[in-house]
Amino acid sequence: MAVKKFGVGQALRRVEDQRLLTGGGLFMADFNFDRQLHGFVLRSPHAHAQFSFGDLTAVRAMKGVRLVLTAADLAHLGPVPCLAPLPNDDGSQNLVAMAPVLAEGVARHVGDAVAFIVADSLEQARDAAEAVPVTYVPKKPVVDMRLALTKGAAAVWDKQPDNIAYDASMGDKAKVDAVFAKAAHVVSLEIENNRLITNYMETRGAIGDYDAATQSYTLHLSSQGVHGIRDSVANLVLKIAPDKLRVITGDVGGGFGTKTFVYREYPLVLEAAKILKRPVKWIAERSDHFVGDCHGRDNLSVAEVAMDSRGKFLAMRFDILGNLGAYLSQYGPYIPYLGGTMMTGVYKTPLIHVRVRGIYTNTVPVDAYRGAGRPEAAYMLERLVDRAARKLKLSQAEIRRRNFISPAAMPYKTPIGQRSYDTGEFDGHMTRALEAAQWDGFAQRLKESRKQGLVRGIGLASYIECTAWGEGEDVKVTLEKDGSVTIYSGTQSNGQGHATAYAQFAAQHLDVPLERIKVVQGDTAKVRTGNGTGGSRSIPVGGISVFRASEHLAGKLKDIAAGALEAAVSDLEIVDGHVVVAGTDRRISFVDIAKRDGVTEAMRSGQGDFVPPDATYPNGSHVAEVVIDPDTGRVTIARYTICDDFGLAVNPMLLAGQVHGGVAQGIGQALLERTVYDAEGQLITASLMDYALPRANDMPSFDFETRNVPSTTNPMGIKGAGEAGSIGSCPAVMNAVVDALHRAYGITHIDMPATPQAVWAAIQSAKVQAAE
Amino acid sequence: MYAFAYHRPGTVRQAQSALHKHEDSKLLAGGQTLIPTMKQRLASPSALIDLGHVAGLAGIEKKGRNIVIGAMTRHADVASSAVVQEHLPALADLAAHIGDPAVRHRGTIGGSLANNDPSADYPAAALALGATIITNKRKIAADDYFQGMFTTALEEGEIITKVSFPMPSKAAYAKFPNPASRYAMVGVFVAKKGSDVRVAVTGASNDGVFRAAPLEAALHTKFNAKSLEGVSVDHTSFISDIHGSADYRGNLVTVMAKRAVLKAQGK
């Protein structure tokens, strides 16, 4: 590809930053409308309870109160949809329990929405919520997944007394079991993937509006894409035609998957706006976020590998329990299953069996969170591989090297999950990562740490993930009359920098500076279709569409210019916002083209609609080196090295930002973030006083590099990069923690998060065992 | 937040009479605990009496062998005070690590001592240094002042005006922060003045800040981290929560005490 000053491959600074960093952003809470009212969700304080309302007349008559909605008022609305229910292996379908817009007589998790109050002010709505006469009769809650599966356990849903939402598997169990029965070595690992609470900086929020004259609704909300939410809310909840609902999203302060879904508050503000004929605004408080937004991860798994005497993987089997919470969220059931499809990892294991069970519990629903299943898969597999290496006394690198799928085997059909890896040089990445991490110097660094009374360890993870599969993106790029360029895109920036990256794709063909290119997104009235941002798809799918639409537009501009310049199209090139007859000074500016008589908007617009033929498979190796203070149990990350394969770097600076952020989230999960429910289903970590988010000073300095192998399923070779950081990091960090604890104390396992107290307690019990 | 009345007295006397006049009123002295609690509707005072405009309540001065700090002095001002840095560097260091920058620029020493949060930093300094809490009514020795979690010797209508810290020969504070809140999970302030050694612990106990007698005895024999080897405090009444068991906090007390001693010795 030709190098263009503002084009693909340049590490350009973000065009968004000046505005966002100087307070020019418009986030959900910044939007206010005339005659706007304020909504408040009354939430259940019980994990599982029958409830009933007393007489609401007095509450409805309170000062400023305009509306009190309960389930009784919403019988005409559909539930919050689950778009990915999964059947059992035998084809049968268990209960698909979707959340009603407001709970119908039974609250099924702490935070379950039981009433919606609208008042002139938020304080009045809160006052009214406190006055709502609601009587709860607590029922026995189901909190722990393993307990949920025991005989005689309480049931979240009477109609599904075993609490199993689905029981699905992939692979040939009999064959796998037969290999296990005869294998020289079998290593197994019981492992937890801790539940996470997203905690984007901007909480969710929505404003509903209704125009009685046209019977149409407008929903403003903080989201990861407006079109999917429009279709679900219109078709499945409100049961109206999608063209009667306009959905608008402004700046978004973080999404991480969690803002993809339809939530109850969206139909609630719309319904209230329709009844009251006034805009109704709802903004989540941080405490709403903890119990009202989907959580992430939360798997309990058993992973096993059968090996020959030299450590060659003969078969693997995985038994995954995915906590789905009380209701099936939009993609909730699919996430642990998606993880299951990635259990091959980077290894040529010929036989794999995966069983995945989705479990109902009286907890907040669980759904996609950065990586969505792939981090769970990579974590479990890479922890298992390290354990296997330890058993066979092989180095972390050696066991991997003996089992990597070789580049010559590409494209590689995985034994489960029906995947085809297009490219991947796993050994090359690992080797480079080890070199960059100065793995060979570890022994010396270990010695120095020991002198200081510190415990040191080094960990490796070689991951693969899948991105950018499924739907396409239909992008329009228009040359405006002032010579600027507008990109209409159905993906949605949550802070990643779409406006910069997309402008670079456009500049590759149109050669205009980034500040002359505008990205329009987040409005169903302005952008015809879209599939939102998620699955690391904005660049490998959306970007390709922008690229193609820009190429299409460039061709059209040349066609117009050919007439104006009386030249053959083949002699024309685009240089710095002009169409130029190559090798001459004859040129016409974009402005003159746009303003030319007879040039319609259609003539100065290009279309690009890239539908990916398959997923792309980013991969790489992370190396973490940790130092543990044995007196306090505190883990510090001393060094962190990443060597990734993203096929092609569109903007190396944005790419590094994505990776740094993803790794920071992974480090948070590995060392800090712990979601704790007590036996009664109360969320103990329901605020930032108890839920430990990573801070800047928890982070090491990252040593990040790419070793790109272009994807063969993507026209530009790009592999998605938005989630990869969160995928490689958890296993690398935890393998380092276990390595450190094993060297010093013989400890072979610790679950995430490796908090100071957990590490200290593990050391104490190892000391006691050693003394016995 | 529920509705409340707001008063802005100009003198301690006016503040006292406002406090007297309004039942269930609260003094606002930085508000870094009170305001969030009110926002969550967990506190609903009828009135706030803002001490932010009372003349003479903020400031730092050296008076003989004491550093005297006005009750409304912000943490950031204690941290950056040349007087404190020169004569009581351990206190400047402690103040520099309270909460986050926003907290340090709003929160005050008087507010912290009056609230006596079991995980707050200042109570450890006041108790270990043998400070005197000066109010509009009397002087209270730190040993008499702290009376358990969120409980102090302050009486109805009593307002802290100053805190006087005797200057130690050696002192330091070592804190192990709670991974989530970054409050002290255990904070140990060690102070040596002549042959007198005092060790105060915050964050660990259900009874709030306390003096660790076994550690003091060990350090009295020899002011050296090694003296604390194998010495521990009784942790039966310690806080046990998801962040740390009582055992763990008990361990941290000795570990942090050792680190404080090393720090006090400039090691």
Side-chain angles (χ1 to χ4, degrees), chain A residues 293-459:
Chain A
D293 291 13
C294 287
H295 294 175
R297 314 272 194 260
D298 204 349
N299 290 181
L300 281 176
S301 306
V302 177
E304 295 172 286
V305 58
M307 292 174 284
D308 71 8
S309 58
R310 299 196 62 252
K312 186 178 158 196
F313 302 158
L314 304 174
M316 291 190 188
R317 56 189 177 202
F318 303 96
D319 188 350
I320 301 167
L321 298 181
N323 196 339
L324 302 180
Y327 302 108
L328 300 187
S329 173
Q330 188 157 322
Y331 302 125
Y334 180 62
I335 305 308
Y337 188 86
L338 171 61
T341 69
M342 289 302 293
M343 288 321 309
T344 307
V346 287
Y347 307 108
K348 55 187 177 197
T349 317
L351 286 165
I352 300 173
H353 182 263
V354 181
R355 182 186 188 190
V356 189
R357 279 170 288 176
I359 312 298
Y360 285 115
T361 60
N362 290 111
T363 62
V364 170
V366 180
D367 206 324
Y369 171 85
R370 201 172 194 169
R374 288 98 80 201
E376 293 91 315
Y379 177 64
M380 174 166 41
L381 183 56
E382 289 301 288
R383 287 286 308 266
L384 179 67
V385 168
D386 258 33
R387 173 169 278 206
R390 205 162 287 126
K391 165 132 187 205
L392 271 66
K393 298 195 163 52
L394 292 174
S395 75
Q396 294 103 310
E398 184 54 31
I399 195 165
R400 288 176 170 81
R401 206 161 264 145
R402 287 185 188 180
N403 288 287
F404 278 143
I405 299 162
S406 78
M410 299 292 166
Y412 180 80
K413 293 244 178 293
T414 61
I416 49 148
Q418 295 172 318
R419 297 190 170 279
S420 175
Y421 298 161
D422 59 333
T423 52
E425 298 177 4
F426 309 132
D427 197 348
H429 282 85
M430 183 185 73
T431 301
R432 176 58 202 146
L434 298 179
E435 197 178 279
Q438 296 172 295
W439 188 284
D440 290 344
F442 174 74
Q444 184 57 35
R445 298 192 291 275
L446 175 66
K447 212 188 248 173
E448 281 156 23
S449 290
R450 279 180 177 157
K451 262 189 230 158
Q452 297 164 47
L454 298 171
V455 171
R456 196 174 186 109
I458 191 162

Side-chain angles (χ1 to χ4, degrees), chain A residues 123 126-127 130 629 631-632 634 672 674 684-685 688-693 695 697-698 756-757 760, chain B residues 1-2 39-41 176 178-183 241-245 247-248 251-252 255-256 259:
Chain A
E123 289 305 312
R126 281 167 147 268
D127 289 344
E130 285 179 7
D629 176 348
D631 294 336
T632 64
R634 184 163 188 263
L672 290 153
R674 184 169 168 224
I684 303 300
T685 51
L688 294 175
M689 290 296 281
D690 287 306
Y691 187 83
L693 283 183
R695 265 92 154 173
N697 69 352
D698 295 311
Q757 124 138 320
W760 181 81
Chain B
M1 200 179 273
Y2 297 105
K39 282 170 84 171
Q40 289 176 64
R41 296 190 158 201
F176 193 84
N178 176 308
S181 69
R182 310 277 158 135
Y183 270 89
D241 60 20
I242 59 163
H243 305 289
S245 62
D247 271 3
Y248 180 60
N251 164 70
L252 282 181
V255 172
M256 289 298 121
R259 290 180 189 182

